Amino acid sequence: MYKYLLCWKYLRGRYIALASVVSVMLGVATLIVVNAVMAGFATKMRSRLHGFLSDIVVMSYDRNGFANADEVTARIRQIAGDDVEAMAGTMETYAILRFYVGGSEVTKEVKLIGVKPEERAKTGDFAEFLFDENDRPAPASFEVSEELRKKTSPAAGVLGENMDDDILNQALRKQALDDVPPRGAILGYAMATARDPEKHRDEYLAPRGTKVMLVFARASKRPEPATDEFTVVSFFKSGMSEYDSSIVFVPLERLQFMLGIGDGEGRGAVNQIHIKLKPGSKADLNVLARKIQRGLERLRPLYFKVATWEEMQGPLLAAVSIEQDILNMLLFFIIAVAGFGILAIFSMIVVEKTRDIGVLKALGASTTGVGGIFLGYGLALGIVGAGTGLAGGLLFVKYINKIEDALSALTGQRVFNPDIYYFSEIPTRVEPLTVAWVFCGALLIAVLASVWPAIRAARLRPVEALRYE
Amino acid sequence: MNNSHISRIDALETKSSTPRGKRSMTAHLSARGLAKSYRKGKTEVPVLKGVDLAVDRGELVAVMGASGSGKSTLLHVLGLLDSPDRGAVDLDGGRIDDLGDRKRDALRNQTFGFIFQFYHLLPELSALDNVLMPLLIRHGPIGYMAARRTYRRRAEALLDRVGLAGRRTHKPAELSGGEMQRAAVARALVGEPEIVLADEPTGNLDAANGRAILELLRDLNRERELTMMLVTHDSQIASRADRVVRLVEGRIEEFSAAPEGSDFAASRL
Ligand SMILES: Nc1ncnc2c1ncn2[C@@H]1O[C@H](COP(=O)(O)OP(=O)(O)OP(=O)(O)O)[C@@H](O)[C@H]1O
Ligand SMILES: [Mg+2]
C-alpha cells in the first residue's frame, strides 16, 4: 500500500518530474499529429492513384498494342467475370505537345492517352477530375461545343447561323475548322497553367479552345512522325502532379487512326485494358491478377503483363511508406529523449531519497516493493504524459484546419497552401492502431527509463542508506 | 556455541533480577559470537569481534561504549538491517540472521521496531502517515483498506500517547526535534513489535526532551512488556535500564545490573 501512497506523494510534490511529463506529452502529441497528417496524405494519394488506374491493368509489352482487344476482354470475362464491373481499353504513347501563348511557342513532352471517355469513366475516377478554367466540373467528353468554337474563332463567330454555301462562307468555315479543330483534347492541369509568383495564382497558358499540336511516332516498322491538332476542351486535375503535368487525353479512335493501327471506326489496337472490379467484390487483387495473367498467357505467351494498381505504383507507394516509417523512427527519438529525462530525474530522486529508502527497508519494505515505487512512479508519469499527449494530439488533429487558418491569419501567409497541394484542407486520418502503438511505446519508454533508478533504489542496503547523512 | 557464551548467560541469570518474575529459559533476542568488519580499500577494520549477548523478554538493556565502538553496527546486525560476517542472531532460540529476504523483511516489519538518532521520518508524509508506515508496508491495498479504521485509531491513540495529539497532520518539517522523535517512537510501536531497538534516541535532544523520551520508552517497556535495547552515551539515561552492557574493543565487556542507587533498579529489587 505504501507504494501507491509514496508514488502519489512524490508525483505531487515534485515539479521537476513534470518536466518529463511535458516532454513525454510533446513527443506523443507530435507523433500522433504527424502520423495523422501523413496517413491523411497517403490515403488521399492512394485513392487518387487508385482512381486513376482502376483495379487491375493488363498491358502488352508491345507499345503498338494488340488489335484483338475483344478477344482479350472476352477471355478476362471468362476468367474473372463475376468480379468484373467494367473494362476499358486505352492506347498510351509518348508525344510532344506544342501550342502558342501570345507569339511564343510552348513545347512539352507528354504521355498521350487515347481513351473512350464513357468507358474510362466507368473503370476509374476520370470524370471526377475534369474541370474547366473556373474549376467547375467539365463533362467527360471530347466534343468541341459550338459555343466554344464561336468564342475562340472569329471566323466561326462571323459565320454565325448563316447556312449559305457561298464562297465566303466556305472560306470562313475552313478558317473556323482550322482555328478550332473538331477533335477535343484534355490537358493535364499543370501543363495548361503557370504559376504567377506575385499573385500566388495559376494563370492559364492554354485555356479551353486553344489549338494544340501533338507530334508522335507512327506504329510502323520504321517509326515516322505523325502530327495531329486538337482543341483543348477541359483540364485533368487529379492532384497527382506526376499525372497533371504530363498527361494529355485524346479520343481513342482518332489516336488509333493517326498511329495507323485502327480503322477509325472504333476498331483498333490498344496497349492497355483497365479492369474495374465490382464494388462488393471480395476477390484478392493480387490473386486475381495472377489468375488473369495465367489465362492470358495461354492466349498469347510472353505478351501480356498483368498488374494491380498497387504494383504499378509500387515504388511510389513504397517510398511514401518508407518515408512515414523513417519519420516515425526519428520522431520516436523525441520520446526516447524524454525517457532519458526521466532516467536523469529519477536517478536524482533516488539519490535524494536514499535515506528514506533506508528507512522504508528498516521498517520492512521489500526490495521489490521499493523498486516498485519507482517503476510505478515512471508508469504514472508515462500515463499522465502519454495521456495528455494523446488528448492534445487528437484535439490538434481534429482542429488542424482551424489552427492552420488562425496561424495563416496571424502570420499573413498561408501555412498550408491549398493551390500547391490541391487539397482544400489538410487531410488527416487517425489510425487507432498507430495511436495505440504510440501510447504504449511512450509508456514502455517511461517504464524502461525508470527501471535502472528503480533497481538502484531497490539494491540500496538499509544500513548504507541510513548512514547517508 | 562456546563455553564462555553459556557461562556468561548463566552468570547473567544468577546475577540479574527477574523482571515481573516471568523469565523463560531461552533469551528473547541473543547474539552468538557476532563478528563484523568493514573493508576500507585494502585494510579491513574489525568492528565487532565476537559479541555474545542475550536479552530477555521484557528487559530493557542499555548499550554503552565509546564512539566508533560499533554500537550502531551491533544494533543493525541484531535488527537484521545488516548481516554479520560470522556468528548468529537468535530470536526465541531460533536463528534469524540467515533467513531469506522475505522472512527478514517480515521480521523487521512485525517483530522489530526501530528508533533512530535522526528520527528518519519521511518528509512528504504527515505525522500520522509516518506513524502508519509500518502498517502500510505490511498490507497490500485491499488488506489495508479493509482495516484502515482500526489502524488509524491505533495510530492516533499512539500519537496521543506520545503527546502529539495536536500534531497529526503536521509534516516532519513542521515539528520540533523532540516531537519528531516522539512520532518516531509511535511509528516504532504501531506495528505492535516485540522488540524495540533504539539507537541514541535522545542523542539530538536537550536534556529535558531526552528525559521525556526515555520516560516514555520506559513506560512503554513496562506497559507492553517490550524487549528494548537502547544505545546511549548518557550514563544517567543508562541508569534507568534493567541492565547496562558496554561495547569495548568489539566485545561485550561487562554485564552489570543497573548501577546501584538508581531508583529504577531499586524499584525492581
Ligand atoms: N560503511 C562503513 N564503511 C567503513 N567503515 C564503517 C562503515 N560503517 C561504520 N564503519 C566504522 O565502524 C565503526 C563502528 O561504527 P558504528 O557506527 O557502529 O559506531 P558507534 O559505536 O555507533 O559510534 P557512535 O557512538 O559515534 O554512533 C566506526 O569506526 C566506523 O568508522
Ligand atoms: Mg552510532
Side-chain angles (χ1 to χ4, degrees), chain B residues 92-165:
Chain B
D92 284 325
R95 190 166 176 187
I96 56 170
D97 63 297
D98 60 349
L99 293 174
D101 282 343
R102 266 171 184 283
K103 289 190 173 150
R104 287 159 60 101
D105 290 340
L107 279 173
R108 280 205 293 268
N109 184 253
Q110 294 167 20
T111 308
F112 292 101
F114 282 95
I115 301 169
F116 304 98
Q117 180 179 356
F118 295 98
Y119 334 124
H120 289 337
L121 298 177
L122 302 179
E124 284 87 2
L125 306 183
S126 66
L128 186 65
D129 283 341
N130 262 295
V131 171
L132 280 168
M133 192 42 74
L135 295 173
L136 285 163
I137 289 174
R138 190 176 302 173
H139 298 289
I142 296 168
Y144 181 81
M145 288 321 256
R148 70 179 185 286
R149 280 169 210 280
T150 323
Y151 290 160
R152 227 185 134 86
R153 242 179 279 125
R154 193 197 291 176
E156 285 170 356
L158 269 169
L159 277 175
D160 293 353
R161 175 71 185 75
V162 299
L164 289 179

Side-chain angles (χ1 to χ4, degrees), chain B residues 54-66:
Chain B
V55 182
D56 288 326
R57 196 171 279 275
E59 201 180 11
L60 196 166
V61 175
V63 181
M64 297 191 73

